[in-house]
Amino acid sequence: MRWYAGVARRTRVSPPHRSGVPAKLGGVLRYDGLMMGPVSLGVTALILYAAAEAFSIMHLRSNEPAQGSTATVFLLVGFLVHLVALQSGALAAKSVPYGDLSASMSFFAWMVAATYGILLLRHREGSTGPFLIPISILFLGASLLTHQEHVAVANPKLSGPLFAFHVTMAILGYAALSLSFVLAQLYLIQNRQLRRRNLGLLFSRLPALDVLSRLHRTSVAIGVTALTVASVLGLIWAKQHWGTYWDPKVLFTFLIIAIYLITLFPGKIGWGGKRVAFLSMVGFMLLMFSYTIVNLFITQEHVFR
Amino acid sequence: MSSSVGSPLLLLGWDYRRTPVELRERLAFPPDKVREALSAMQREGLLAEGVIISTCNRSEIYGVTGAALSGALSDRDPFDAVTDFIARFHGIPRSEMDASGYRFSGGEAVRHLLRVAAGLESMAFGEDQIIGQVREAFRLASGVGATRSVLHRLFQKALETGKRVRSETGLNTRPTSMPGVAIELAQKIYEDLTPRNFLILGAGETAAIFFDLLLARGAKNIEVVNRTLARSQELCRREGRALPWDELATRLPHADIVVSATSSATPVIPLETARQAMALRRGKPLFFLDLGVPRNVDPRVAELDNAFLYAVDDLQEIAERNRQERQKEIGPALEILEEELQEFLSWFGSLAVVPTVTSLRKKFEGIRESDFDRQLEKMTHISEGDREKIRLMAQSMVRSLLRHPTEAIKDEPDPGRRLDRAEAVRHLFDLDLDSKE
């Protein structure tokens, strides 16, 4: 439990002026004399997400509407608390939270919750919650574990609204496509259960294949749009600062976008169902490749420092 | 049998297990007959409260005995009196009714209603429909003023129990009939079946059953293909589209769900036909329900991408597995049922004269002791002897205040009205259940 002790220590001990949060924010969020810094807010959001997950698992088992609504409320409150946490972190760093890996993971987790919220609103289908909310929990948790006491000073070169939007959109794209990765797997699971006549509780509670397709489609649409906007903004920024459009990452991103576009319009090539789900997973593998290997070894411009 | 003595709550019923369908049909109460019968029984003083549940599987009369049947005024057996009434009402000989009915009173009647609401008494074990029918029966009776304190509470409890059993156990989660399984499978491919295109092959009995089932499920686009067009046209008199047999291959790619129930000796959908249809569907899933024996659809169709094929054996196997799953849920369902039963009975028991009067007295005495006597103790300017006199005056005042309400409950001959009075007193003086000990 070392990490936990670490988190707790930081939350309790660090005096407001050292946690790097401006005093005016401290005034707003003072609670029983205890300063709610980004970390304690983050921990609160994490607990709320965990509660949302617990209730959505219960809902999956029991099919009780009240439990589904409770899960949604916990998720919403968690989402808002998380927003405040990000906000206070951002105020401290005076920029969108992408300055370091920890902050960007938290931002990613928030975007995942946001995309899941959009899916819930659009399709009124909460039974995928137990499989999607954990992504937020995982990344917010990882962010809190790797949290650095001192705030990384934003590189003056990497600032300005254009760059901030580029990063924000890219993170939203990654978040939405991560959800579609899980949804594609759920599609394949449901497809397999139908074929093997393995009709257990999971079968009866997971949505129908066409619903999973629609959920997948919406999240891919969000992801592709965000990724495209991010690429365009990135290209404009690169032209301004480097004088060239060229970055090997561009190539990969366009390939990824092309693959996901096929999953949005599979009928054009006579594909559907299972193949689309597989293709979506291939797209995600490439995305992960681009995020890790390409960033680390091929181009030096996308490394978090 | 004079099982009636004791509880004013009674149940007379005839269901599919014990009563032949011919008698059940004659014992059925359409809504206006329910109203008529309940009003008449109230008028005649047979029942103070009453609810009639009438479905194709059961006719049941729940009642609280009325003034005409209470011990002091009559020695008639309440069950016999109500049965006589029903016999007259429907024009059925008494002997026939007695042969196959069942009678419960008190806690047994309550338990039976809770079992009915939970679906444990249903032919399709654990089914959902019954809870709506119980709710409707209660609504009908309330509409003619036939439910008051007891049956109101009882039916609320029954509906609540039905709901709990369904949400807290897996009793009704999975279908156990072949059509039910087929629909569940189809709905796991296309959640909303109404806008889907259905293609039915064959126009025999099985095809007709599924045709009606799909219509009942709100299906809008149903096409029927049969070797003799006249028979499919007959099936599609009101809804659907009858098509000649040679259009099968051209219509197949447009269908989302195919139900095949022909008596053909060779597959009517060979692998190649299905393969071509799937290619034209550009990845959209196609659900084949093969109800033919021998099989109508080549089994290898199941291996095509996005094609889902289920045959009769598959459906039967799934239905059987679901039935076994349900059996496992009976234990937890019964636990919920007993819990709710005890809760109702403890409330119902508290309505009896003695506990009500006792807790009313306790309440009054409590107020006298805690408020009046304590204040009196503080009035030291009054002499001890005078205080004692005042104390006795207060005691006698409480007794006088209680005399009339106590007698009004005790001496009421109509058991239904007695329960109402007890309930009113409990409510007005906030005598909660656990104050009785």
Side-chain angles (χ1 to χ4, degrees):
Chain A
M1 296 304 277
R2 193 181 57 80
W3 65 270
Y4 179 76
V7 171
R9 179 168 46 76
R10 283 189 204 108
T11 343
R12 259 187 288 109
V13 177
S14 60
H17 67 272
R18 272 193 47 207
S19 70
V21 181
K24 61 166 185 180
L25 197 77
V28 179
L29 294 165
R30 195 168 289 280
Y31 180 74
D32 278 357
L34 175 80
M35 173 66 193
M36 290 285 273
V39 174
S40 40
L41 282 168
V43 172
T44 311
L46 186 69
I47 293 167
L48 290 163
Y49 286 155
E53 171 71 6
F55 273 98
S56 57
I57 290 174
M58 268 149 63
H59 175 240
L60 189 75
R61 285 181 57 90
S62 72
N63 219 7
E64 181 78 38
Q67 288 169 352
S69 321
T70 312
T72 310
V73 170
F74 272 116
L75 187 73
L76 181 67
V77 179
F79 176 76
L80 294 174
V81 171
H82 196 171
L83 173 65
V84 177
L86 288 169
Q87 176 78 5
S88 60
L91 279 178
K94 296 192 179 59
S95 97
V96 176
Y98 52 76
D100 59 297
L101 186 62
S102 166
S104 67
M105 284 196 292
S106 174
F107 196 31
F108 171 84
W110 185 77
M111 285 293 198
V112 167
T115 314
Y116 176 62
I118 293 170
L119 293 184
L120 262 182
L121 276 180
R122 171 126 169 63
H123 298 286
R124 311 258 157 214
E125 179 57 68
S127 54
T128 52
F131 309 94
L132 301 181
I133 300 171
I135 309 176
S136 281
I137 296 177
L138 202 71
F139 278 85
L140 179 54
S143 159
L144 289 168
L145 289 185
T146 54
H147 180 74
Q148 298 289 316
E149 196 57 53
H150 66 278
V151 176
V153 181
N155 185 340
K157 219 180 91 185
L158 303 178
S159 60
L162 188 62
F163 191 79
F165 265 118
H166 163 69
V167 178
T168 305
M169 282 294 131
I171 292 181
L172 173 60
Y174 281 113
L177 294 175
S178 303
L179 287 193
S180 50
F181 173 67
V182 177
L183 289 167
Q185 289 186 64
L186 289 179
Y187 184 98
L188 292 175
I189 290 171
Q190 188 68 314
N191 182 68
R192 201 165 75 165
Q193 293 190 118
L194 273 162
R195 283 185 183 284
R196 301 213 173 152
R197 284 120 177 82
N198 175 16
L199 312 176
L201 185 68
L202 187 62
F203 163 80
S204 75
R205 295 289 198 246
L206 273 183
L209 289 182
D210 64 335
V211 176
L212 285 168
S213 290
R214 286 200 293 271
L215 289 167
H216 177 260
R217 219 181 126 80
T218 306
S219 69
V220 169
I222 296 170
V224 165
T225 310
L227 216 54
T228 309
V229 173
S231 309
V232 171
L233 294 176
L235 288 173
I236 296 171
W237 188 90
K239 180 70 180 166
Q240 281 177 4
H241 289 77
W242 305 335
T244 170
Y245 289 120
W246 180 246
D247 178 357
K249 183 138 176 140
V250 174
L251 198 66
F252 275 94
T253 308
F254 283 155
L255 179 62
I256 291 161
I257 290 175
I259 286 176
Y260 275 115
L261 278 176
I262 297 175
T263 73
L264 283 182
F265 306 103
K268 300 258 183 259
I269 54 164
W271 281 23
K274 210 169 107 180
R275 285 194 203 175
V276 168
F278 271 126
L279 194 63
S280 167
M281 288 167 73
V282 170
F284 190 74
M285 296 301 166
L286 275 177
L287 193 71
M288 286 297 100
F289 180 73
S290 161
Y291 186 73
T292 53
I293 311 292
V294 175
N295 281 1
L296 287 175
F297 299 111
I298 303 178
T299 166
Q300 285 300 308
E301 300 303 334
H302 280 89
V303 182
F304 289 104
R305 278 166 288 223
Chain B
M1 303 176 270
S2 55
S3 54
S4 62
V5 197
S7 179
L9 193 61
L10 53 89
L11 153 66
L12 291 91
W14 296 266
D15 72 359
Y16 67 95
R17 278 191 208 153
R18 290 159 264 208
T19 316
V21 64
E22 300 76 33
L23 179 58
R24 256 172 23 236
E25 276 168 2
R26 287 155 68 202
L27 274 166
F29 291 83
D32 50 327
K33 290 282 173 199
V34 168
R35 292 193 197 98
E36 198 185 317
L38 287 175
S39 301
M41 282 191 282
Q42 275 187 306
R43 236 184 355 259
E44 293 181 24
L46 296 173
L47 297 182
E49 301 183 46
V51 174
I52 298 180
I53 299 178
S54 177
T55 73
C56 42
N57 285 332
R58 68 185 64 251
S59 286
E60 290 182 342
I61 298 156
Y62 292 85
V64 175
T65 47
L69 296 177
S70 63
L73 299 174
S74 150
D75 54 359
R76 283 165 83 196
D77 179 290
F79 285 112
D80 283 338
V82 175
T83 314
D84 280 337
F85 173 87
I86 302 296
R88 255 184 294 130
F89 190 82
H90 282 306
I92 304 168
R94 261 297 302 261
S95 55
E96 248 184 273
M97 292 179 65
D98 288 344
S100 62
Y102 45 94
R103 298 166 164 194
F104 295 121
S105 69
E108 288 309 307
V110 177
R111 180 179 281 119
H112 183 84
L113 176 62
L114 300 191
R115 287 182 61 92
V116 167
L120 295 175
E121 293 286 326
S122 297
M123 194 139 84
F125 197 71
E127 51 103 13
D128 269 338
Q129 236 179 1
I130 186 69
I131 195 153
Q133 293 164 331
V134 170
R135 189 180 295 115
E136 181 58 21
F138 172 65
R139 209 183 54 79
L140 267 178
S142 298
V144 293
T147 60
R148 298 208 305 266
S149 45
V150 178
L151 290 194
H152 185 90
R153 181 93 168 213
L154 175 60
F155 274 76
Q156 293 306 330
K157 184 102 279 184
L159 294 172
E160 205 180 295
T161 307
K163 248 189 179 161
R164 268 194 72 194
V165 164
R166 283 169 177 82
S167 67
E168 293 174 28
T169 74
L171 199 62
N172 75 323
T173 43
R174 314 304 303 281
T176 52
S177 68
M178 253 181 32
V181 170
I183 294 284
E184 188 193 36
L185 286 168
Q187 279 178 327
K188 282 298 169 191
I189 293 163
Y190 293 110
E191 189 188 43
D192 183 5
L193 295 180
T194 47
R196 294 292 144 208
N197 297 326
F198 291 88
L199 181 64
I200 297 182
L201 313 182
E205 198 188 341
T206 313
I209 289 171
F210 270 80
F211 184 82
D212 290 340
L213 182 73
L214 294 175
L215 279 186
R217 288 269 168 168
K220 300 248 182 321
N221 315 314
I222 308 181
E223 295 177 333
V224 181
V225 177
N226 192 45
R227 289 215 198 262
T228 32
L229 185 59
R231 286 190 65 191
S232 51
Q233 277 167 340
E234 162 144 6
L235 196 60
C236 298
R237 275 190 316 269
R238 278 165 297 150
E239 292 274 351
R241 214 150 72 92
L243 295 168
W245 184 253
D246 51 15
E247 287 201 29
L248 168 59
T250 53
R251 295 312 298 160
L252 191 59
H254 300 281
D256 300 311
I257 291 144
V258 176
V259 180
S260 182
T262 75
S263 50
S264 167
T266 55
V268 293
I269 301 183
L271 182 62
E272 207 37 50
T273 311
R275 199 198 297 278
Q276 281 163 12
M278 290 313 297
L280 288 169
R281 287 182 64 74
R282 301 187 153 265
K284 267 178 80 184
L286 178 51
F287 179 67
F288 291 94
L289 198 58
D290 185 354
L291 302 171
V293 180
R295 298 179 66 152
N296 288 171
V297 183
D298 189 318
R300 287 171 294 174
V301 168
E303 286 148 35
L304 298 176
D305 262 359
N306 303 314
F308 298 87
L309 169 61
Y310 291 87
V312 174
D313 289 348
D314 300 319
L315 299 183
Q316 262 163 359
E317 195 191 312
I318 296 165
E320 181 50 40
R321 225 182 307 155
N322 289 350
R323 247 191 302 277
Q324 287 166 6
E325 287 295 314
R326 275 193 190 188
Q327 293 296 329
K328 283 192 218 150
E329 296 295 331
I330 294 183
L334 288 180
E335 268 169 41
I336 292 172
L337 207 129
E338 284 306 312
E339 201 180 293
E340 298 286 344
L341 175 70
Q342 288 316 321
E343 206 179 295
F344 177 83
L345 289 181
S346 85
W347 171 82
F348 187 62
S350 77
L351 283 188
V353 176
V354 175
T356 305
V357 169
T358 312
S359 39
L360 184 65
R361 185 166 300 146
K362 217 180 239 172
K363 178 96 180 185
F364 275 49
E365 294 292 341
I367 293 169
R368 183 183 58 75
E369 276 165 28
S370 65
D371 298 352
F372 188 85
D373 286 5
R374 216 175 318 136
Q375 291 300 322
L376 194 63
E377 288 306 312
K378 290 182 194 153
M379 299 183 184
T380 43
H381 57 280
I382 305 173
S383 74
E384 180 55 39
D386 284 349
R387 266 186 279 165
E388 185 54 33
K389 271 184 209 152
I390 295 173
R391 213 172 280 130
L392 291 173
M393 276 162 64
Q395 281 172 10
S396 121
M397 186 175 76
V398 166
R399 270 197 300 278
S400 311
L401 282 173
L402 281 169
R403 189 170 309 123
H404 186 71
T406 309
E407 281 167 6
I409 299 173
K410 268 186 184 157
D411 300 342
E412 170 57 50
D414 179 340
R417 208 175 292 163
R418 196 161 60 223
L419 291 167
D420 284 346
R421 285 190 180 164
E423 164 66 6
V425 164
R426 290 206 155 267
H427 186 69
L428 288 172
F429 293 101
D430 188 27
L431 310 176
D432 43 22
L433 289 177
D434 38 33
S435 67
K436 61 184 165 79
E437 278 126 72

